[in-house]
Amino acid sequence: MRSPGRPEPSRAVQREFWRLIATGVTTVKAAEALGVSWPVASRWFRHAGGMPPISLDEPTGRYLSFAEREEISLLRAREVGVREIARRLGRDPGTISRELRRNAATRSGKHLYRALVAQWKAQQAAKRPKTAKLADNARLREYVQERLAGVIRRHDGTVVAGPATPAWKGLNKPHRQDRRWSTAWSPEQISHRLRVDFPDDESMRISHEAIYQSLFIEGRGALKRELVTCLRTGRALREPRARSKSKPQGHVTAEVLISERPAEAEDRAVPGHWEGDLIIGTGRSAIGTVIERSSRSTILVHLPRLEGWADRQAVKNGPSLGGYGAVAMNAGLTVSMTKLPEQLRKTLTWDRGKELSAHAQFTLSTGTKVFFADPHSPWQRPTNENTNGLLRQFFPKGTDLSRWTAEDLEAIALTLNNRPRKVLDWKTPAEVFAEQLSSLQQPGVATTD
């Protein structure tokens, strides 16, 4: 057996590493928790394609553990006999004898038992490499590869060249404009279509997970790695599900997650809880939308482009002049929310957009606590999403939204707020909102409608 150099950490350490990855922590954080260098942990993740290469179940007591090998190493250093070691560990003497004979380090011709080397040798001997199905079956491999990277053809069969794209450099998630045109069937489509195209040929079967593994895991050798660019996501690595739900964003901390939002905001019985987001137009134009959860009352935030837009060259990491940078968004939203009585501006639930990265300052100015929904979870802001759909009747996609003045937006909000809603028992949001205001017994407070 070749010399391992510095043997890799034990399977127990690797299992714990993949358990931490499954909880959503980063590779660096997982490495720090286990005392492994982050380049080593990063290599584990990259070579495995983001998928655990070993079972995360604890091994049975049939095999010696790393802790037992450490105990054997210490006892041998004290020249304790094989039978005494076996008695102390509760193992058969033959098991200890074979362990010392097979897995001892043999540097300089001497048999010295070292726990780390013994663990590495045991792991190497336990491997049962299995050839991937795509590597063995050339016909199946060609079928899968053709549908992953197939060319685009016209009705007459001629090939459409598509855009000229640079060669793949092994990067994860290449830029969208760099993606090449391809047939791009998903692995799941390929897997199920095989049963339709080859109903009587059992050799032409493969699961979509096996196709993903052939693309993501280095060393499989069945499919070309650059075919990951033909996947719809363009990912070269699988992203753990927990990590995708907790992507690190500087402006979203633990105390402002939607899970920390007061329970009274859930049932809509108490007014004063709002949902917000942006609707985006061309040329980095946008309109802020804020909707009250119980009355469905709508506020539209005017976000004009700042002075210097289109006249000044963009500066990297400089201020956003498009109208919905953090500064402009904070200013416009503060003006809109401070028109409400304090009792009706308790919380605001927002998307993960960076436009509200100055939420701490907004909370100080208005007293409204800001909470952020989970990534890719629009159902956590249902009232806002529904209203944004209604607003597209007035502000279609692909149009410049900066052409509308604050007075125009106020008129649109007035229109929506005076439209009867089934969910309100055919009352209008303006009527329900007026009832909320009257219940506060604060005459003279201006309404939003």
Side-chain angles (χ1 to χ4, degrees):
M1 184 178 290
R2 67 175 180 83
S3 172
R6 178 178 175 81
E8 63 183 10
S10 68
R11 287 287 182 91
V13 174
Q14 295 181 48
R15 275 194 298 272
E16 188 59 29
F17 168 78
W18 286 106
R19 289 193 187 107
L20 289 173
I21 292 295
T23 64
V25 303
T26 63
T27 305
V28 175
K29 293 289 185 182
E32 290 176 353
L34 297 175
V36 179
S37 68
W38 69 263
V40 170
S42 178
R43 189 163 59 248
W44 286 352
F45 189 87
R46 188 176 63 255
H47 287 184
M51 296 182 285
I54 59 176
S55 172
L56 301 186
D57 296 331
E58 289 294 335
T60 64
R62 176 183 176 186
Y63 304 101
L64 289 172
S65 66
F66 182 62
E68 288 177 311
R69 289 190 168 97
E70 286 183 319
E71 187 67 19
I72 294 172
S73 179
L74 291 172
L75 294 175
R76 286 300 290 173
R78 299 176 191 168
E79 299 184 352
V80 178
V82 170
R83 291 188 177 275
E84 179 61 18
I85 294 174
R87 187 187 66 80
R88 294 189 186 186
L89 294 181
R91 293 283 187 174
D92 187 88
T95 300
I96 305 301
S97 178
R98 283 192 298 272
E99 174 69 16
L100 294 172
R101 184 174 66 254
R102 291 175 178 175
N103 296 331
T106 57
R107 182 172 292 181
S108 303
K110 300 178 181 179
H111 282 68
L112 298 175
Y113 189 83
R114 298 287 183 267
L116 194 60
V117 175
Q119 182 71 20
W120 177 83
K121 285 192 170 185
Q123 290 174 186
Q124 294 297 108
K127 287 182 177 179
R128 299 292 184 269
K130 182 179 178 181
T131 305
K133 190 172 185 179
L134 288 174
D136 268 351
N137 191 330
R139 184 179 172 213
L140 178 61
R141 181 174 64 253
E142 290 174 6
Y143 181 95
V144 172
Q145 196 156 285
E146 179 182 346
R147 279 148 186 81
L148 278 175
V151 296
I152 302 297
R153 298 180 182 275
R154 298 184 179 91
H155 283 294
D156 59 3
T158 57
V159 175
V160 181
T165 59
W168 184 60
K169 297 180 180 179
L171 301 178
N172 193 27
K173 297 266 302 183
H175 292 298
R176 192 172 296 171
Q177 61 266 29
D178 295 333
R179 301 285 296 277
R180 65 179 180 180
W181 287 4
S182 64
T183 304
W185 285 22
S186 71
E188 188 173 15
Q189 288 171 329
I190 295 172
S191 174
H192 286 80
R193 185 65 189 183
L194 280 166
R195 298 180 179 274
V196 177
D197 292 345
F198 304 96
D200 302 321
D201 190 350
E202 290 297 324
S203 67
M204 296 295 285
R205 300 284 186 272
I206 191 169
S207 68
H208 64 275
E209 181 64 21
I211 299 175
Y212 277 120
Q213 289 181 4
S214 294
L215 290 171
F216 289 156
I217 300 177
E218 289 188 12
R220 283 297 177 96
L223 297 175
K224 298 176 182 178
R225 282 277 288 154
E226 58 266 25
L227 288 178
V228 296
T229 60
C230 297
L231 296 176
R232 289 169 191 164
T233 62
R235 290 194 185 100
L237 299 172
R238 174 164 287 176
E239 184 176 25
R241 183 174 299 175
R243 183 182 293 182
S244 68
K245 292 183 178 180
S246 58
K247 289 183 179 178
Q249 291 174 291
H251 68 291
V252 181
T253 54
E255 60 271 14
V256 296
L257 295 176
I258 193 171
S259 57
E260 301 299 317
R261 189 175 68 177
E264 67 177 30
E266 282 294 324
D267 58 9
R268 304 175 188 267
V270 179
H273 299 282
W274 301 76
E275 298 175 5
D277 196 9
L278 296 176
I279 54 174
I280 307 297
T282 58
R284 292 190 60 79
S285 59
I287 296 172
T289 63
V290 186
I291 294 86
E292 207 275 323
R293 282 177 57 83
S294 62
S295 68
R296 277 68 173 181
S297 184
T298 300
I299 297 175
L300 297 182
V301 182
H302 187 225
L303 299 172
R305 293 185 179 125
L306 303 187
E307 184 180 354
W309 166 260
D311 299 331
R312 187 187 311 174
Q313 186 175 5
V315 179
K316 185 176 182 180
N317 296 327
S320 174
L321 304 178
Y324 60 97
V327 176
M329 187 70 223
N330 191 18
L333 195 58
T334 300
V335 170
S336 297
M337 294 297 288
T338 49
K339 294 178 181 178
L340 302 169
E342 186 177 351
Q343 296 92 327
L344 287 181
R345 40 186 165 97
K346 297 176 181 177
T347 68
L348 173 63
T349 304
W350 204 266
D351 196 7
R352 287 289 179 110
K354 292 290 185 69
E355 65 273 2
L356 210 61
S357 57
H359 61 87
Q361 182 180 352
F362 170 76
T363 299
L364 287 175
S365 303
T366 64
T368 305
K369 295 182 180 179
V370 177
F371 298 93
F372 291 93
D374 295 329
H376 316 298
S377 303
W379 57 87
Q380 294 177 344
R381 300 175 298 101
T383 309
N384 184 232
E385 289 292 323
N386 177 267
T387 305
N388 285 354
L390 298 177
L391 286 168
R392 283 301 183 182
Q393 177 182 353
F394 307 97
F395 311 114
K397 292 183 180 181
T399 60
D400 186 356
L401 303 182
S402 65
R403 56 182 171 164
W404 307 115
T405 65
E407 291 74 19
D408 295 332
L409 300 188
E410 186 177 353
I412 296 300
L414 180 64
T415 300
L416 282 184
N417 289 335
N418 285 281
R419 181 184 291 179
R421 303 288 295 273
K422 180 180 179 180
V423 73
L424 300 176
D425 198 18
W426 304 112
K427 293 182 179 180
T428 67
E431 291 170 342
V432 177
F433 194 74
E435 293 173 2
Q436 294 174 350
L437 288 174
S438 62
S439 68
L440 297 177
Q441 296 181 351
Q442 290 186 354
V445 178
T447 65
T448 60
D449 59 305

